[in-house]
Amino acid sequence: MQRLYDSNMQLIGYIKNGEDGKQTVYDFNRQILGYYYPVSDKTYDSNRVLVGKGNLLTSLLSKK
């Protein structure tokens, strides 16, 4: 699991890579914020609502 930090070196979240290439982003409390599917090149939030095309996982961290 990759740790993500802000500019002040405060932990803000994690990204976990799945075996199928899917990536999941978690906040610092390890609650799921969203998913990225590289096969379709789309990002979804935790409710499986489309966020956009491409890997936008880090943008979900700023909405928390």
Side-chain angles (χ1 to χ4, degrees), residues 7-25:
S7 59
N8 296 317
M9 294 305 295
Q10 297 293 315
L11 180 65
I12 57 172
Y14 304 89
I15 291 182
K16 181 178 179 183
N17 296 310
E19 291 181 18
D20 57 355
K22 178 181 86 169
Q23 294 181 325
T24 306
V25 67

Side-chain angles (χ1 to χ4, degrees), residues 3 5 10-11 13-14 18-19 25 28-30 35-36 38 40-43 46-47 49-50 53 64:
R3 293 178 180 171
Y5 297 91
Q10 297 293 315
L11 180 65
Y14 304 89
E19 291 181 18
V25 67
F28 66 94
N29 290 319
R30 296 191 183 208
Y35 309 91
Y36 170 67
S40 62
D41 195 30
K42 293 180 182 174
T43 301
S46 60
N47 296 315
V49 175
L50 180 65
K53 187 163 174 62
K64 184 80 172 144

